[in-house]
Amino acid sequence: QVQLVESGGGLVQAGGSLRLSCAASGRTFDRYTMAWFRQAPGKEREFVAAHSWARASVYYADYTDSVKGRFTIFRDNAKNTVYLQMNSLKPEDTAVYYCAASRTIGVRTTSTRDYDLWGQGTQVTVSS
């Protein structure tokens, strides 16, 4: 049974940085598509970033427009962990951040419907 466990959330001032981690247990995940979503109060869960396997050790990284140039998604397969480095944080980045995995190898998608494993979420709060 694969489980995803997020960590790294917290309170930070605008302009600051945080790094979120998502550790996958149960089996290797090097070809799974891994993603981060977020959900602010009263809003739907939205796509933030995804990291999908292309070939060999090559991966695609995709981002929603609002985080391009500020957030970076990357993984360490030896640790079965995917990260989201968040820089230049803004108050509008405040949300619960969820890690997700799709076991469809190589899928490149921003839809919540295509991810079949989810973490419990970690709160990120950015103060102005």
Side-chain angles (χ1 to χ4, degrees):
Q1 182 77 10
V2 179
Q3 289 186 320
L4 305 178
V5 179
E6 300 106 331
S7 61
L11 173 64
V12 65
Q13 288 188 331
S17 299
L18 283 174
R19 177 178 290 185
L20 305 183
S21 300
C22 172
S25 64
R27 61 184 300 170
T28 56
F29 80 138
D30 58 315
R31 296 192 180 184
Y32 290 179
T33 295
M34 303 298 296
W36 290 93
F37 289 78
R38 65 187 179 187
Q39 188 166 18
K43 294 188 176 181
E44 292 188 352
R45 191 169 298 187
E46 65 171 0
F47 170 78
V48 176
H51 202 248
S52 54
W53 181 75
R55 62 188 181 280
S57 59
V58 178
Y59 293 85
Y60 295 114
D62 296 296
Y63 302 91
T64 191
D65 287 345
S66 63
V67 309
K68 285 180 181 177
R70 300 189 297 123
F71 291 10
T72 303
I73 186 171
F74 60 100
R75 71 174 75 195
D76 184 339
N77 288 331
K79 296 182 178 179
N80 262 15
T81 300
V82 64
Y83 303 91
L84 185 67
Q85 177 67 42
M86 305 186 293
N87 298 328
S88 302
L89 283 161
K90 304 175 180 180
E92 51 264 43
D93 295 317
T94 295
V96 177
Y97 283 69
Y98 296 91
C99 176
S102 171
R103 289 175 284 190
T104 303
I105 294 173
V107 70
R108 200 173 174 183
T109 176
T110 64
S111 172
T112 57
R113 293 189 297 271
D114 295 320
Y115 291 88
D116 50 356
L117 295 170
W118 291 86
Q120 82 286 356
T122 185
Q123 177 71 46
V124 171
T125 303
V126 184
S127 63
S128 57

